Amino acid sequence: MSYLILCDSCTDFTEDMKQDPHFAHIPLTIHIGDYDIIDDDTFDQQDFLRRIDAYPECAKSSCPAPDEYLKHFEMADDIYMVTLSSHLSGSYNMYMEDHPNKHIHVFDSLSASSGQTLVALKANELAGSGLSFDEVIKQTEQFIHEMGTKFVLESLETLRKNGRLSTVTATLASALNIKPVMTSNGNGEIDKVTQARGMSKAIMKMADAIKADAVDPQNHTLMIAHCNNRKRAEFVKEEILKRLSFKDVQITETGGISSLY
């Protein structure tokens, strides 16, 4: 059976994924005032960062039109979707009514960025091994609930702009150089694990938190996503590998949506 893994552009593809015909990227759109950026292969991160820094309000993003997904549904027998979008359910259900024998499943990654990347890679590994559609779903869903996501932000400005953090708190954190270490709480929501003064100390605390939560790392892949800072990503890798051994380590750069948030 042929298969295709559809991912919205919050899934930060590795270079190998970009070349693999089993993966398809469905771009979201970023709105910086009246200026729109399509989060596809044309995304210019440096231009984006300049625009976002100069824009006083919070930039927004919009999901792809359902047709962007629907047109891929005919390309393979089995369709696995890794997406942040929940508004697709109506179009998806209508399509399934007309195609009751079609195999389509939407995974809720409970994560973003490199977390979505790992979910897509896991689905590809299982589907490529010849497992049945139902077994791929079962094992990928189990993987999602075992996976962990942690991150540190250089700036809290976007959280301030979108109202998730008060101006006073963001200003104080910036003045004191406080960097919170954040995590997914297992339900797709964000919690703070700890914090530190300075990025290097925050990264080391993040590495400690990963060590505390890791289960059987020797049989799992560590995926690191960075926004315009490969050197720091290598430092993150180094600190984590001082504490744990993984089956594989991959580093990828954030696309537009991950860079925005």
Side-chain angles (χ1 to χ4, degrees):
M1 300 284 281
S2 61
Y3 70 91
L4 185 64
I5 302 171
L6 302 181
C7 306
D8 71 24
S9 60
C10 192
T11 309
D12 293 323
F13 276 18
T14 65
E15 290 303 316
D16 286 343
M17 292 171 74
K18 293 176 183 177
Q19 305 302 319
D20 190 332
H22 289 113
F23 296 101
H25 231 175
I26 313 297
L28 282 78
T29 302
I30 301 169
H31 310 281
I32 306 177
D34 295 329
Y35 188 80
D36 292 344
I37 298 173
I38 306 300
D39 189 16
D40 59 13
D41 291 341
T42 66
F43 176 70
D44 183 335
Q45 189 179 73
Q46 295 301 316
D47 179 70
F48 165 80
L49 292 173
R50 285 192 294 269
R51 289 179 183 275
I52 209 75
D53 186 57
Y55 187 57
E57 300 178 28
C58 183
K60 302 182 184 301
S61 62
S62 59
C63 294
D67 284 350
E68 290 295 314
Y69 288 93
L70 295 176
K71 69 185 182 183
H72 286 82
F73 286 178
E74 300 299 329
M75 295 182 180
D77 300 312
D78 296 346
I79 302 292
Y80 305 98
M81 298 170 62
V82 181
T83 172
L84 289 175
S85 176
S86 60
H87 85 296
L88 293 167
S89 58
S91 299
Y92 163 77
N93 289 334
M94 286 169 50
Y95 180 88
M96 291 304 294
E97 287 176 5
D98 294 334
H99 304 78
N101 296 320
K102 192 73 176 182
H103 289 165
I104 303 175
H105 183 78
V106 182
F107 290 111
D108 182 352
S109 68
L110 302 177
S111 185
S113 185
S114 56
Q116 286 184 229
T117 306
L118 283 174
V119 173
L121 287 171
K122 186 63 176 181
N124 182 55
E125 173 192 337
L126 296 169
S129 72
L131 292 177
S132 69
F133 183 74
D134 289 342
E135 190 62 28
V136 172
I137 293 170
K138 177 183 175 182
Q139 292 194 33
T140 304
E141 293 286 2
Q142 180 180 348
F143 173 81
I144 289 170
H145 289 282
E146 293 173 349
M147 181 183 70
T149 303
K150 290 181 174 59
F151 62 96
V152 179
L153 298 176
E154 174 67 46
S155 170
L156 302 177
E157 188 63 10
T158 295
L159 294 182
R160 182 196 67 78
K161 287 180 179 179
N162 66 21
R164 292 175 182 255
L165 199 66
S166 74
T167 299
V168 171
T169 300
T171 301
L172 185 62
S174 177
L176 296 177
N177 198 24
I178 294 174
K179 310 295 184 185
V181 178
M182 313 297 282
T183 187
S184 169
N185 63 7
N187 296 313
E189 299 171 340
I190 296 173
D191 286 338
K192 188 177 84 169
V193 179
T194 184
Q195 64 184 37
R197 294 189 67 173
M199 181 58 73
S200 294
K201 291 181 179 178
I203 287 172
M204 288 187 278
K205 285 200 171 187
M206 180 175 69
D208 289 339
I210 291 171
K211 178 182 179 181
D213 291 348
V215 176
D216 194 25
Q218 295 89 347
N219 290 312
H220 289 87
T221 296
L222 171 67
M223 183 67 67
I224 301 170
H226 70 93
C227 178
N228 194 37
N229 202 326
R230 175 80 189 202
K231 182 178 180 180
R232 184 171 290 159
E234 294 288 352
F235 176 59
V236 170
K237 173 182 174 180
E238 177 183 327
E239 287 300 317
I240 294 173
L241 292 183
K242 285 179 182 178
R243 296 159 172 79
L244 295 165
S245 296
F246 283 86
K247 179 179 69 175
D248 187 25
V249 181
Q250 297 192 46
I251 297 176
T252 186
E253 190 168 19
T254 55
I257 299 298
S258 298
S259 298
L260 171 61
Y261 291 106

